[in-house]
Amino acid sequence: MNIDTIKNGYVIDHITSGNAMKIYELLELGKLDCQVAIITNAKSKKSGTKDIIKVGELINLDMDKLAYIDSNITINVVKNDKIIEKKKLTLPEKLVNVCMCNNPRCITSTEKELDQVFILTDKERNIYRCIYCETKLNKN
Amino acid sequence: MNKEVRHLTNIEELSVDEIDDLIKVANDIIANPNKYKDKCNGKILATLFFEPSTRTRLSFESAMLRLGGNVLGFSEANSSSVAKGESLSDTIQVVGGYADIIAMRHYKEGAPLVACNKSSIPIINAGDGGHNHPTQTLTDLLTINREKKRLNNLVIGLCGDLKFGRTVHSLITAMSRYKNIKFILISPKELELPEYVKKEVLEKNNIEYIETNNIEEYMSRLDILYMTRVQKERFFNEADYIRLKDYYILDKNKLKNAKDDLCIMHPLPRVNEISTDVDNDPRSKYFLQAKYGVYIRMALILKLLEVK
């Protein structure tokens, strides 16, 4: 399978298999005018299989959203056919309007103007909690 | 959040020293009530109760009246502008012009944080769903302090709904900051203490705890037995509630091996979980506990209004 190399843009690599479509949707890549390629179940020396997304333009990527979905991702920044930077992600301390609290008793379920805010309460176990009701964020 | 105004949404916002000070003031109020009867002259407490409550609302109102202040408010969402679709943020900003301090109970968890972010006057969380209820915890701490003369070196039995019981979670959090505390967690499997409380509070602070579903098994070791009600309003499924509501009923027989100086507590209201034949036992402190709630709330109002 051949997918064109990109002149300027990003290669989002080492995505855990199955996460590419989540990223596509959360980052709203379908709304871009440029080419976007999604490769699923590509061979990986590290993990057996992986997903890859190629974006054919240097858009503003929301690193917090990417890290929230999969902090193992590597972002290759491509400029004039060359990888000029490899970015590793770190878990953001705070997530704002990335996901919604799924506690039906949370105040965010009725006060619609509120931002959905989660803070990282346990870095080792990758646990985020809603700042309002403190319910643990369920990533699935 | 308005930095100049001090609120109380969660017991952890108070340091151990601040809690000690509040208990000290509450004890002084009990000893010298006349000294405090005019401290809040001209001040108004708004009790905004979006969810019904007898004890908490009346104890706040009693507290403010005993300090010489006045009270206004509502006791259910239907009698407020919420019924017309007003947001909590708007209600809080409006009431800020009518009162000097707010005690708020809301059925939605996290509502106090929203209120604090919008309020120009102190907000006291009087309970937000199954989340926090810091003044109940302060009441519990004052009760333990008065009845046991200490807040350390205690074996505390918590019995009943340990899953949804916010008073239990807050009490564990508060007591975990004192020395040599041990917990006996007594509940049916379905109402066990949530994992996050065990991991993030008990285990993180190296607090010893034992889980059991037998109320009598560790009775002889307890200094405090804290009974809780299985709360109907926390269940989505009524069948589960009916199955679990009478799982524990404390009666005289179950107390036969208990210490003479055991302190039996309950945040109230009680349904069936403590038999009325226990009420006359001198170790029963739950009605006294409800009374102490007024004094600790008086101390808290004075602190948040910065009245000396």
Side-chain angles (χ1 to χ4, degrees), chain B residues 273-288:
Chain B
E273 57 278 4
I274 302 179
S275 167
T276 50
D277 72 4
V278 177
D279 293 357
N280 293 327
D281 189 308
R283 295 171 291 188
S284 294
K285 304 294 181 189
Y286 29 91
F287 292 116
L288 203 52

Side-chain angles (χ1 to χ4, degrees), chain B residues 20-153:
Chain B
D20 287 348
D21 283 345
L22 286 171
I23 289 174
K24 199 171 155 189
V25 172
N27 279 324
D28 194 49
I29 293 169
I30 293 168
N32 308 290
N34 277 341
K35 202 170 119 187
Y36 293 87
K37 68 181 172 58
D38 297 318
K39 289 279 186 186
C40 285
N41 272 353
K43 301 281 187 188
I44 297 174
L45 166 75
T47 52
L48 310 186
F49 277 61
F50 296 86
E51 186 180 61
S53 155
T54 311
R55 211 162 334 278
T56 307
R57 184 170 58 85
L58 293 184
S59 65
F60 266 111
E61 293 183 1
S62 173
M64 193 50 157
L65 294 171
R66 283 171 191 267
L67 289 168
N70 290 299
V71 176
L72 53 80
F74 53 82
S75 57
E76 56 177 319
N78 286 340
S79 57
S80 75
S81 286
V82 172
K84 299 174 191 166
E86 186 176 60
S87 70
L88 174 62
S89 302
D90 284 3
T91 303
I92 290 297
Q93 289 178 86
V94 169
V95 174
Y98 301 158
D100 300 287
I101 185 166
I102 292 171
M104 183 183 86
R105 168 163 291 190
H106 204 285
Y107 47 90
K108 288 290 181 183
E109 297 168 6
L113 183 60
V114 176
C116 293
N117 285 337
K118 294 288 180 182
S119 183
S120 56
I121 62 175
I123 301 272
I124 302 172
N125 177 12
D128 58 329
H131 190 213
N132 286 314
H133 192 2
T135 59
Q136 179 63 52
T137 309
L138 288 172
T139 300
D140 298 341
L141 295 177
L142 176 63
T143 306
I144 295 170
N145 170 272
R146 287 189 69 82
E147 298 304 318
K148 304 304 293 183
K149 309 296 178 206
R150 63 185 191 276
L151 286 170
N152 48 25
N153 302 318

Side-chain angles (χ1 to χ4, degrees), chain A residues 103-111 113-114 121-122 125 127 129-136, chain B residues 10 87-89 106-111 113-114 117 131-132 164 196 199-200 233-236:
Chain A
N103 173 11
R105 299 183 182 95
C106 180
I107 187 69
T108 56
S109 68
T110 48
E111 298 269 313
E113 86 286 2
L114 292 175
T121 56
D122 188 335
R125 292 190 292 155
I127 292 173
R129 289 193 183 278
C130 171
I131 60 158
Y132 299 101
C133 68
E134 298 181 86
T135 297
K136 188 175 150 186
Chain B
N10 181 336
S87 70
L88 174 62
S89 302
H106 204 285
Y107 47 90
K108 288 290 181 183
E109 297 168 6
L113 183 60
V114 176
N117 285 337
H131 190 213
N132 286 314
F164 298 110
Y196 76 90
K199 286 205 161 60
E200 294 173 24
E233 59 269 32
R234 306 287 169 234
F235 284 83
F236 287 122

